[in-house]
Amino acid sequence: MIATLIKCVTEKTSAHSGASIDWVAFSQDGTKLVSGSDDTRGKYNALGLLSEKTNVHSVIHSADLSSVAFSPDGTKIVSGSADRTIRIWDLDALGLLSEKTNAHGYSIRSVVFSPDGTKIVSGSSDGTIRVWDSDALGLLSEKTDAHSARVMSVAFSPDGTKIVSGSADKTIKVWDSALELISEKMNAHSTYIFSVAFSPDGTKIVSGSGDRTIKVWDSDAPGLLSEKPNAHSLYIHSVAFSPDGTKIVSGSADKTIKVWNLDALELVLMSKKSKAHKSTVNSVAFSPDGTKIVSGSNDGTIKVWEMVEWSRKDHLMFNIATQRFVLRLLWLNKYSMKFPDDVLDLLVRACLQSR
C-alpha cells in the first residue's frame, strides 16, 4: 500500500494585500512561482518574495489580472486581464517588454505560451480565441466565433500543434495552431467548463466544471475516457496533470485540493486536503518534478504543498504503537471516515523526520 500525504511547506498570507489569488504557476525549473490577483498586481516567489510589480499608474493592468504564465525558458511572464490587455514582462525586474491593448473585445480569461515560446494563445469572455507572436504581440490567427459564450480556459498541446479550449457554453474544442477546428464535444459538461489541460504526452485532455465533475477525454475525438461525478462538493475551478501524466490535481470552491489517479479517477490514498484554504481555491498546479503543488485562493493566500509517498518501508520505521495508529487512520480513510487535518499534518511531519 502506498499513500500520498500532502503537507503545506510554504505559505504566503496576504500575498496580494488580501485580494483573491486568481492564478498561480511554477517556472519550468521549479524554483519560482508567478501569481496574479484582482488587485491588478503580479508577483513571483519561492520561499520568499523575489520581485513584484505594483499597480503604479496602472502599469500592470487597470482591472483584474485573470491569467499569468511563465515562458518555457523562464525568462518572461505573460499576463492577461479584464482590461482586455495582454502584456509580456521580463522576469528579472518585471519590466514591460511588449503589450497589446484591446487584444479582445471583453475580459481576457486565459493566456499561455506555446511550448517553444514563440506564440501566445488567449481566450476571452467575447467568445474569441487568438494566437499572437510572443515577441511583439502581433496577431497570427484568430477565431472570432470560437465559442458562443465566455472562453474560460485555453492550453497548447505539448508539441504545440493543437490548442484546447473550454467554455461557459459547456463545449470543449480542439484546434490546430492556426485555429482551424479539429474536433469538438458539445455539452461536455452540464455547466461552465472552468479549466482544461493536455496530458504531458498530448493524448488526453482533463476538464473541470461548475457541475463538480472531472472528466478525461481522448484528445483526438474528443471521446470520454473517464469521469468523476461529485469530485468536489462545489465548483471545480482548476485541474492540472502531473508531469508524469499519472495524476490529476483539482482545486474547488469547497476550499479543498484533491489528487486523483488518472486511470480510474480514484482519489489517491490520503491525498485529499480539506480546508486547504479559507475560501475558494482558484488555481492549482504541479511543480515540474511532480513533488509539489501550488495553490492560490480567494483568501489572498498562496500555498505550496509537498507530496510525500508513504510506503510499507516507511511505515516499518515507526514503533508498533505508531504503526497500529497509522493503519487505523488508513482503514478509516478507506471507508470514508474523516479525521482532522491536524492529525494528518502530524503524521506527515513524523514521516519526514523519520527519513
Side-chain angles (χ1 to χ4, degrees), residues 72-202:
D73 64 4
T75 64
K76 301 174 186 175
I77 293 169
V78 61
S79 60
S81 168
D83 68 5
R84 303 179 293 165
T85 299
I86 298 172
R87 292 188 167 119
I88 299 177
W89 312 86
D90 77 272
L91 185 62
D92 290 335
L94 285 184
L96 184 63
L97 297 175
S98 57
E99 68 177 324
K100 186 66 178 180
T101 57
N102 298 314
H104 285 269
Y106 292 98
S107 300
I108 296 167
R109 307 288 306 193
S110 182
V111 290
V112 66
F113 278 95
S114 61
D116 64 3
T118 62
K119 301 180 184 70
I120 290 168
V121 62
S122 59
S124 167
S125 293
D126 63 8
T128 298
I129 300 172
R130 289 178 173 155
V131 177
W132 312 85
D133 166 61
S134 63
D135 287 331
L137 286 175
L139 184 63
L140 299 177
S141 55
E142 66 177 327
K143 194 67 177 178
T144 56
D145 56 349
H147 287 272
S148 60
R150 282 177 272 180
V151 179
M152 306 298 291
S153 179
V154 290
F156 272 101
S157 62
D159 63 4
T161 62
K162 297 177 183 177
I163 294 167
V164 62
S165 58
S167 169
D169 67 6
K170 313 173 192 177
T171 300
I172 294 173
K173 296 186 180 183
V174 179
W175 315 82
D176 67 18
S177 58
L179 291 179
E180 293 297 324
L181 185 64
I182 296 174
S183 60
E184 64 181 316
K185 184 66 179 180
M186 306 297 290
N187 297 312
H189 287 268
S190 60
T191 187
Y192 285 26
I193 298 168
F194 284 105
S195 182
V196 289
F198 276 100
S199 61
D201 64 3

